[in-house]
Amino acid sequence: MIDKVKFREMFAYYDKEVVAEVIDDFISEYETRLREIREAIEMRDAEMIRQSSHSFKGMSGTFMDPLPHRLSGELESMAKEDEFSGMPETYTRLVKAAKELAEELKIVRMDYVS
């Protein structure tokens, strides 16, 4: 769930159009990014998992929702340790959290469009 106070503080000095564009970018890209992580997990490519998870962690962290940020960080850490057990479950939780974030962002976005 987005911490709306921190979200407003983060974007307080941005034009509303810029905030809406950042939200749109996440909504349009998150499924592709998640697919990259899933494919890397299926291939057991630790470096790709690490890179993709790190990227997603930054992307989701922008919106002040701690759960997708934490879960992608967990995947990143697992990949660094070549620890593949538990990745599918963590990934499944990340997908759910990311979808919830995207749905919440669609609502938040309404405050940033005329």
Side-chain angles (χ1 to χ4, degrees):
M1 175 174 268
I2 296 172
D3 182 327
K4 292 193 175 64
V5 171
K6 287 182 180 179
F7 182 91
R8 283 191 291 275
E9 288 172 359
M10 172 78 167
F11 291 103
Y13 301 103
Y14 291 84
D15 291 336
K16 287 185 173 190
E17 295 81 19
V18 171
V19 178
E21 185 177 320
V22 170
I23 290 170
D24 290 343
D25 287 347
F26 178 85
I27 291 170
S28 68
E29 293 179 21
Y30 88 95
E31 290 176 318
T32 300
R33 301 289 185 98
L34 289 172
R35 186 171 43 256
E36 290 171 358
I37 296 170
R38 186 194 75 235
E39 290 170 357
I41 291 171
E42 289 170 354
M43 294 185 309
R44 296 178 65 91
D45 184 335
E47 182 59 21
M48 182 59 77
I49 296 165
R50 189 195 63 72
Q51 290 175 2
S52 299
S53 297
H54 179 79
S55 176
F56 196 84
K57 181 174 70 173
M59 182 178 164
S60 63
T62 302
F63 300 108
M64 305 301 160
D65 184 344
L67 186 57
H69 185 265
R70 181 176 58 79
L71 292 169
S72 51
E74 287 178 18
L75 286 171
E76 180 184 13
S77 294
M78 288 179 199
K80 286 179 184 175
E81 300 294 324
D82 285 327
E83 180 56 52
F84 295 97
S85 66
M87 277 189 188
E89 294 82 6
T90 303
Y91 173 77
T92 298
R93 292 174 52 215
L94 176 59
V95 169
K96 182 177 186 279
K99 285 182 181 180
E100 290 172 356
L101 173 56
E103 290 305 313
E104 192 172 2
L105 284 171
K106 289 175 186 176
I107 295 167
V108 169
R109 185 185 183 282
M110 288 186 232
D111 292 336
Y112 293 91
V113 292
S114 302

